Amino acid sequence: MTHPSNVIRILYCSHRSPESAGLIAEEIYKDFDISCFDWNRIDSINYEYDPEDYDIVFLEIPVQMPHELAESRINTIKHHAAVIRVHDSAYQKKVMQMCKGNTHLIIDNTLAQDQIIAIIHMLAHMKGNVSGGVPWVADALRESEQRYRQIVLAMAGWIWECGTDWIVTYSSENVKEYLGYDAEEITGRSIFSLLDEKCREEVATQLLEAAESESPIRDLEFWIDTAEGGLICVLISAEVKRNTHGILSGFRCVGKDITTQKTAEAALHRSNERLRELDKLKSEFLSTVSHELRTPIAIMGEGVALCLEEIVGPLNHKQRDLLEDTHQNVDRLSRLISDLLDISKIEAGRVVLRKVQFNIPSIIQQALDGFSSVAGQKNLEMRYEGPLSLIIYADPDKVRQIIDNLISNAIRFTAEGSITIILEDESEIVRCRVCDTGIGISKKDVKGLFVKFAQIGRVDGPGYKGTGLGLAIVKGLVEKHNGAISVESVPDQGSCFSFTLARMTPPGIGIVDYERQRLLSIQSTLKQSGYLTQIADTLNANEICKGIQLLAVAYNQEVDQWLEKETAFVESILIYDAGSLPEEHVLRLERWPNVTVAHNSDARRLHTRIQDLLMG
Amino acid sequence: MSEVRRILVVEDEMQFAKMVKMRLESVGYEVDVSGDAYSGTQKIIREAYDLVILDLMMPAGGGFTILERIRKFPNKADLPVIILTGKTIDDTVKNQARSLKVAHIFSKPYDAKEFLAAVAELIDN
């Protein structure tokens, strides 16, 4: 059988009546130029035609057709690209097996006639391309290829494809701009022969993972050796290619050169590393210097103090006056060093809060008592307005430092009148205000007030001098407690500093101990610090693990088994009283990332250990 | 009490030690000074002090090294100790001090009144 080369030959095998099959034929005749086709129909089992003579074979497998028969029909077209229509969708898988990996297109009978015709059109286009094709098909292809080329260039990306053997099957021509190779040099080579050794394994893993998860790959970085011997970084997005059976057949990828960006990133990373190193050095330097400074300052201070107290002999009026000035400045120097250390810790984010539950009015009272003599010297009245009991969960030392700083400022800038501390419970937060009747702060100065060493228009009175760091420290500490600080002030009338502290919930701790007495003693120690506790005398009580951050368990044999099942449910586990366990056993317990082992069972020591664990 | 109370100051900064000694003597205590951890440890073990004041960073080991050694002697297990240091007092220092039964930690420069009050309280007990 000979055919003109510009004719697409279709063999249509169907069980349908010649009339019904003829409808499809008519449609195809209508859409295609009739001279392009040589159309045949077979609806009997006996083949009169050799499928090998046709470009497209359309095979319909009806529901009632015996499997053996279906298989023998499929086998006759095994080397051919065929469309196989399966009428029973449950049968589809079976048919797929019958195809034995040949690239047939399997469709089901839900496809409408026009869709089938569209498929035939598509195949006709493909065939036209392979065999030189009919003129109009070739034109259409040329046009679409041009369009595709333009898109590729407009995207300024390198497009390539590879099979599952990683051999590049296609590369866009602009690869030359990227790698310096011609597209022909790339095709046929394994993609890994182009990749820099360091990224080969990762690239393969990621591509295969993507193939398994069916998700497209985004932003995979390839380091590729260029023809000139350079190295460029290409950012790849890839789609998984599958054949008609849905089996992975390769990858289609688009690459963009991001070498410049990567080089900049690397430089940035290096300079960040350097900055971190410098920051660490700065902190270490500050800490060392402050220690080295403390001793000479202590010697000066103590020497002057011994003289001032006349322990080493009587002083005249002028000597006393000078020594008092000296003593004040030694004090100031020592405060400056403490403040510098504090602010550097705050800035480096190294402030650790030791949170416990405490009564904030008591802390305020202690602070007021501490300043009573200084305030008394200036004849200032000190008042507290607020509840006598208000329990918060915070770091009492830091809260005291905040309040001390604010009171100390208030006293410094107030010549007469009073200092009032007002405490208010605002359910989610507590608000504390330190108000004075002093010189106040102008609007202009309020802005820079919380900046370290802010030079504002307030002039210190005689005596106690500030360090210029106090309010910056206060702000840092308040923010560390998830609070905020603000100030309202009227010049010559007074200032009112207001800060808030978030009402935090103390962590819940579960304690499991088979010795009742010890259990209660540990519980009471933890309760004193405000922790919420739950207790049990056996690990079987799973209820205990609900809503707790840490579980403290006295060691017994149950613990080993329990850990195998339950560790993941609690953030942190402290196993105590494990002093008698051999070293290997302890190591075995500690291989769990959230488990810590303590040898003793002393309530106070456990308390410290638990605090450390909760701080992270 | 008629008996004179004895205090040992272990401090490598001799000028500072001299002043602490002067301060303590001014209120009537008898004060010995030791300039390093080694001689300090020897003195504590041999003599009967009512209170020991330790620096933390010194040649031949700091105050904690001394404490670890002397706490092993039954008659020194409860000897009152004050730490007086230029080192930053962080949680590690506090925890270690607590476990070695240190009564007070003062940082340099200290508040003389508070310091003397702490000394008096420990010695009178």
Side-chain angles (χ1 to χ4, degrees):
Chain A
M1 219 170 168
T2 57
H3 304 283
S5 66
N6 62 344
V7 169
I8 299 284
R9 297 166 302 266
I10 298 176
L11 179 63
Y12 187 79
C13 311
S14 172
H15 64 294
R16 293 167 198 249
S17 66
E19 291 74 28
S20 127
L23 284 176
I24 289 185
E26 250 172 57
E27 285 295 316
I28 290 172
Y29 279 132
K30 207 161 62 189
D31 266 24
F32 285 76
D33 185 331
I34 196 156
S35 69
C36 300
F37 292 92
D38 176 20
W39 191 81
N40 287 282
R41 185 184 65 78
I42 299 174
D43 58 359
S44 69
I45 346 166
N46 305 313
Y47 285 107
E48 294 167 38
Y49 304 96
D50 182 358
E52 291 294 320
D53 288 337
Y54 295 88
D55 295 312
I56 297 164
V57 176
F58 197 91
L59 189 65
E60 271 195 284
I61 299 180
V63 190
Q64 68 275 22
M65 186 183 270
H67 289 192
E68 298 76 26
L69 198 54
E71 194 163 1
S72 87
R73 276 187 166 196
I74 290 167
N75 278 340
T76 59
I77 52 154
K78 63 186 167 201
H79 299 304
H80 214 97
V83 179
I84 303 169
R85 186 185 207 192
V86 185
H87 279 234
D88 175 9
S89 56
Y91 192 34
Q92 216 166 330
K93 210 169 173 186
K94 183 82 189 157
V95 171
M96 213 183 272
Q97 285 167 356
M98 291 176 191
C99 290
K100 297 187 179 115
N102 288 313
T103 53
H104 301 318
L105 181 63
I106 300 168
I107 60 173
D108 63 32
N109 67 340
T110 55
L111 287 184
Q113 184 159 303
D114 57 339
Q115 285 172 309
I116 295 172
I117 291 166
I119 289 169
I120 294 174
H121 279 202
M122 190 187 78
L123 290 171
H125 273 90
M126 283 166 63
K127 287 289 168 183
N129 191 27
V130 172
S131 60
V134 283
W136 72 266
V137 173
D139 283 348
L141 277 172
R142 206 170 304 120
E143 198 183 317
S144 91
E145 199 182 332
Q146 262 175 8
R147 191 180 306 135
Y148 166 70
R149 245 180 241 269
Q150 278 164 358
I151 293 170
V152 168
L153 290 176
M155 279 166 57
W158 164 43
I159 297 185
W160 54 277
E161 295 179 6
C162 69
T164 47
D165 53 2
W166 311 111
I167 300 290
V168 177
T169 51
Y170 168 81
S171 166
S172 60
E173 277 154 27
N174 61 357
V175 65
K176 182 104 184 160
E177 295 163 30
Y178 290 86
L179 307 183
Y181 296 108
D182 287 322
E184 300 80 61
E185 283 180 83
I186 300 271
T187 26
R189 277 178 73 172
S190 158
I191 187 67
F192 289 108
S193 70
L194 296 167
L195 289 182
D196 187 61
E197 265 179 53
K198 278 174 278 176
C199 69
R200 281 182 197 169
E201 206 179 311
E202 203 205 328
V203 166
T205 320
Q206 291 217 31
L207 286 174
L208 289 174
E209 265 175 23
E212 260 173 43
S213 66
E214 308 246 340
S215 54
I217 305 160
R218 296 285 170 255
D219 304 340
L220 184 57
E221 283 173 14
F222 280 35
W223 285 92
I224 299 184
D225 297 314
T226 63
E228 290 84 27
L231 197 61
I232 67 160
C233 184
V234 181
L235 192 69
I236 299 285
S237 296
E239 303 280 345
V240 172
K241 278 190 357 181
R242 293 186 187 281
N243 66 12
T244 47
H245 306 294
I247 293 164
L248 175 70
S249 66
F251 301 93
R252 182 174 296 117
C253 311
V254 181
K256 271 189 165 233
D257 183 356
I258 55 159
T259 315
T260 326
Q261 190 187 327
K262 285 307 278 187
T263 322
E265 264 174 30
L268 189 66
H269 182 74
R270 273 197 304 276
S271 76
N272 273 343
E273 282 288 294
R274 179 82 190 122
L275 281 177
R276 257 194 289 277
E277 206 175 292
L278 283 174
D279 190 57
K280 201 176 150 224
L281 282 176
K282 185 192 91 174
S283 299
E284 279 169 9
F285 174 77
L286 263 172
S287 156
T288 315
V289 164
S290 73
H291 169 242
E292 291 303 319
L293 286 173
R294 273 177 209 274
T295 306
I297 288 171
I299 294 170
M300 288 191 285
E302 186 63 357
V304 174
L306 289 168
C307 294
L308 273 174
E309 288 167 45
E310 300 188 324
I311 287 167
V312 285
L315 293 175
N316 67 32
H317 179 69
K318 280 183 183 166
Q319 287 167 335
R320 171 169 294 280
D321 187 40
L322 286 176
L323 284 174
E324 268 170 3
D325 287 353
T326 313
H327 200 243
Q328 271 175 16
N329 281 283
V330 171
D331 263 3
R332 186 176 164 195
L333 192 53
S334 132
R335 279 200 310 276
L336 190 56
I337 289 166
S338 304
D339 282 3
L340 269 175
L341 260 186
D342 281 349
I343 199 79
S344 80
K345 264 193 208 160
I346 289 170
E347 284 178 350
R350 282 188 290 115
V351 176
V352 180
L353 296 184
R354 284 222 158 267
K355 284 183 278 191
V356 294
Q357 281 204 309
F358 64 93
N359 188 28
I360 181 166
S362 320
I363 291 279
I364 295 173
Q365 199 50 57
Q366 284 167 22
L368 288 172
D369 291 347
F371 282 99
S372 63
S373 71
V374 190
Q377 282 163 22
K378 291 180 89 173
N379 232 349
L380 298 174
E381 194 195 338
M382 302 244 277
R383 277 196 303 254
Y384 167 70
E385 290 173 13
L388 288 178
S389 170
L390 178 51
I391 306 290
I392 63 166
Y393 181 68
D395 182 330
D397 290 343
K398 301 287 190 285
V399 172
R400 172 76 191 267
Q401 197 178 348
I402 294 168
I403 296 168
D404 275 355
N405 249 301
L406 294 177
I407 296 179
S408 150
N409 277 352
I411 294 176
R412 262 164 65 207
F413 296 109
T414 306
E416 55 186 307
S418 64
I419 287 147
T420 314
I421 301 190
I422 303 154
L423 184 69
E424 286 159 326
D425 183 357
E426 299 183 6
S427 73
E428 294 290 302
I429 53 167
V430 291
R431 184 182 300 279
C432 181
R433 284 186 285 173
V434 180
C435 302
D436 62 50
T437 56
I439 58 171
I441 310 154
S442 72
K443 269 219 167 72
K444 173 168 70 69
D445 287 335
V446 165
K447 269 189 216 157
L449 204 56
F450 297 100
V451 178
K452 57 182 174 179
F453 296 119
Q455 295 290 323
I456 65 161
R458 296 214 289 189
V459 181
D460 281 353
Y464 190 93
K465 299 276 193 298
T467 61
L469 291 168
L471 286 176
I473 293 171
V474 165
K475 184 169 188 272
L477 294 177
V478 167
E479 283 168 359
K480 191 81 191 166
H481 279 93
N482 298 334
I485 185 159
S486 61
V487 62
E488 278 170 33
S489 184
V490 180
D492 299 323
Q493 285 187 26
S495 308
C496 198
F497 283 83
S498 161
F499 69 91
T500 59
L501 300 171
R503 264 283 183 73
M504 289 179 261
T505 353
I509 297 172
I511 315 157
V512 179
D513 199 323
Y514 45 91
E515 273 182 34
R516 190 80 190 161
Q517 211 48 45
R518 193 165 65 182
L519 179 65
L520 294 177
S521 132
I522 294 170
Q523 184 189 30
S524 95
T525 311
L526 291 171
K527 265 190 171 169
Q528 276 165 23
S529 292
Y531 294 116
L532 307 171
T533 55
Q534 296 181 47
I535 52 169
D537 52 12
T538 162
L539 261 175
N540 295 331
N542 277 340
E543 279 297 304
I544 201 167
C545 294
K546 281 187 190 145
I548 60 164
Q549 274 93 318
L550 185 138
L551 183 68
V553 190
Y555 181 80
N556 68 8
Q557 277 97 339
E558 279 177 13
V559 171
D560 298 283
Q561 288 173 5
W562 180 82
L563 277 179
E564 300 289 338
K565 295 180 293 182
E566 313 278 350
T567 48
F569 299 116
V570 188
E571 267 174 54
S572 188
I573 299 169
L574 175 68
I575 298 168
Y576 61 93
D577 198 21
S580 57
L581 290 182
E583 187 63 23
E584 318 89 76
H585 198 138
V586 172
L587 286 176
R588 207 158 61 232
L589 292 171
E590 281 189 331
R591 87 199 135 116
W592 301 102
N594 53 346
V595 169
T596 313
V597 177
H599 294 295
N600 50 62
S601 59
D602 172 68
R604 266 237 317 229
R605 283 203 203 177
L606 286 179
H607 175 248
T608 318
R609 226 17 212 281
I610 286 170
Q611 273 193 326
D612 288 342
L613 283 172
L614 289 172
M615 304 287 165
Chain B
M1 229 171 276
S2 60
E3 198 187 329
V4 177
R5 298 302 181 131
R6 298 182 66 207
I7 300 176
L8 176 70
V9 177
V10 188
E11 166 68 71
D12 63 322
E13 289 279 349
M14 291 318 280
Q15 290 172 327
F16 188 68
K18 178 177 81 189
M19 288 172 187
V20 177
K21 179 177 157 79
M22 223 179 254
R23 158 95 49 208
L24 291 169
E25 282 174 347
S26 76
V27 285
Y29 298 117
E30 190 184 309
V31 182
D32 277 353
V33 171
S34 188
D36 64 81
Y38 179 75
S39 66
T41 311
Q42 297 300 314
K43 275 197 176 131
I44 296 169
I45 294 166
R46 285 189 198 137
E47 314 268 331
Y49 292 107
D50 297 293
L51 171 72
V52 174
I53 294 162
L54 296 174
D55 187 13
L56 280 187
M57 294 204 282
M58 289 179 290
F64 287 139
T65 318
I66 299 178
L67 278 168
E68 272 159 18
R69 290 193 194 137
I70 63 161
R71 288 299 188 215
K72 287 180 189 150
F73 292 81
N75 59 340
K76 307 293 175 194
D78 296 311
L79 174 66
V81 170
I82 289 178
I83 279 175
L84 183 51
T85 180
K87 210 177 149 165
T88 311
I89 302 164
D90 56 17
D91 289 333
T92 326
V93 173
K94 279 186 200 161
N95 289 342
Q96 207 173 353
R98 195 183 301 147
S99 66
L100 288 165
K101 295 191 193 164
V102 171
H104 295 281
I105 312 177
F106 284 91
S107 70
K108 294 176 190 171
Y110 59 65
D111 181 306
K113 256 191 218 159
E114 282 178 26
F115 177 69
L116 285 181
V119 170
E121 175 213 316
L122 285 174
I123 283 195
D124 294 342
N125 283 343

